[in-house]
Amino acid sequence: MTMTIKKIKAPRELRAEDVPQLMLAHQVKYEKVACLNWAEAFPVHPQMEVAMAHTGDNLLLHYRVEEDCIRAAAEQDGGRVWEDSCCEIFLQAPSPITQHSTPNIQHPTPSKNNLPSPKGGAGVESPYFNLECNCAGTLLIAKGHDRHDRQPAPEDVLKSVGRWSSLTSEATPQPNGRYVLPLENGDFHWHMALVVPATALFGSGIDDFSGLTLRGNIYKCGDCLREPHFLSLFPIETPQPDFHRPEFFQELRFE
């Protein structure tokens, strides 16, 4: 399966809060993140969709989520955001990086720790990146070859990613500029937008997404919510929840 990531024009000083309107203006399609790969053990199915576009130097993401429980307990970037209401994108560049010609990429949680690391299969030859953001905009970025081999992003890389969440007005601000939300039940409809510089894929040598073909997947999870859930954009065929499986990534072609 191949998904095309549309290239759009955006203001030079692009703010994350402007991303939803840009997606609308450029008629970017929203994709449902709806693969319930482990339905018997984890039947909870919140609604999530994502729009993806790029400007060359930035990847733009707009997540739209409907769920009945939220949490944002991670107090700082690099924390355990996957335990919160969390949206994630995993990206991997082939080795060497594939560029096509066009007109002008498992959390270390208790439920996933006991599975063997993937061996062989497509897409395991180069490091991949996990970019995970909870519903209050707290971010985790790391890279490596499997779930055990993760190198966290430097602080300057984390700070380079623009973020906007519709829930920050309800969250408690922290001294470090991040926000937290207690575990809460209800009927929640929330949005989150990210502006991810190509250089956030640190050490990859990528500084422009134009014409690239990466591999990846997108996820929704909440390991420590009242009822944990695990959704993906593309199917994953493992016996237990495990997002760190690059052999199930699919192609993302950037215009």
Side-chain angles (χ1 to χ4, degrees):
M1 181 182 298
T2 299
M3 180 174 293
T4 298
I5 311 301
K6 188 175 186 179
K7 187 172 185 178
I8 65 175
K9 292 183 178 180
R12 182 176 297 274
E13 299 298 325
L14 177 59
R15 304 179 305 169
E17 53 262 46
D18 297 328
V19 168
Q21 185 58 40
L22 273 174
M23 298 299 193
L24 180 63
H26 289 275
Q27 298 182 319
V28 178
K29 182 182 178 183
Y30 284 80
E31 303 287 346
K32 291 187 179 299
V33 179
C35 289
L36 195 63
N37 303 288
W38 307 281
E40 184 174 347
F42 300 99
V44 175
H45 195 314
Q47 301 300 306
M48 173 177 158
E49 55 186 9
V50 61
M52 294 180 285
H54 78 99
T55 62
D57 52 353
N58 289 302
L59 170 64
L60 312 182
L61 297 159
H62 181 208
Y63 300 105
R64 301 195 296 208
V65 180
E66 298 179 22
E67 57 186 338
D68 61 9
C69 183
I70 59 170
R71 188 187 100 146
E75 296 182 350
Q76 60 186 9
D77 286 346
R80 300 171 70 87
V81 296
W82 64 88
E83 295 180 346
D84 297 333
S85 304
C86 190
C87 301
E88 311 181 354
I89 182 169
F90 282 36
L91 295 170
Q92 180 185 46
S95 184
I97 294 170
T98 299
Q99 190 161 29
H100 60 269
S101 228
T102 60
N104 260 43
I105 166 151
Q106 164 189 321
H107 304 302
T109 63
S111 60
K112 305 167 191 167
N113 270 343
N114 297 324
L115 292 174
S117 298
K119 302 290 183 183
V124 299
E125 72 283 353
S126 62
Y128 63 89
F129 294 82
N130 53 303
L131 294 86
E132 311 178 14
C133 198
N134 74 10
C135 60
T138 301
L139 182 66
L140 168 70
I141 302 178
K143 70 174 180 178
H145 289 87
D146 58 39
R147 91 179 70 82
H148 303 297
D149 168 35
R150 309 310 297 160
Q151 177 185 347
E155 185 177 357
D156 63 319
V157 169
L158 292 164
K159 288 183 174 178
S160 73
V161 178
R163 317 159 211 181
W164 169 81
S165 169
S166 62
L167 291 175
T168 53
S169 61
E170 306 172 30
T172 302
Q174 302 299 294
N176 61 4
R178 302 271 47 90
Y179 296 84
V180 296
L181 282 162
L183 183 69
E184 187 174 352
N185 299 323
D187 183 17
F188 300 100
H189 298 240
W190 57 273
H191 294 222
M192 182 167 61
L194 302 179
V195 178
V196 183
T199 52
L201 304 184
F202 61 102
S204 69
I206 297 174
D207 58 10
D208 192 321
F209 289 108
S210 303
L212 292 183
T213 297
L214 305 184
R215 293 170 54 83
N217 208 340
I218 293 179
Y219 311 117
K220 172 72 178 76
C221 65
D223 293 42
C224 288
L225 299 186
R226 185 186 72 250
E227 295 180 293
H229 60 262
F230 306 95
L231 304 177
S232 65
L233 177 61
F234 303 123
I236 302 171
E237 298 177 10
T238 59
Q240 299 176 44
D242 188 353
F243 290 164
H244 286 260
R245 299 304 289 255
E247 66 267 43
F248 297 110
F249 290 174
Q250 300 296 324
E251 281 194 348
L252 304 174
R253 291 174 60 91
F254 290 76
E255 292 183 345

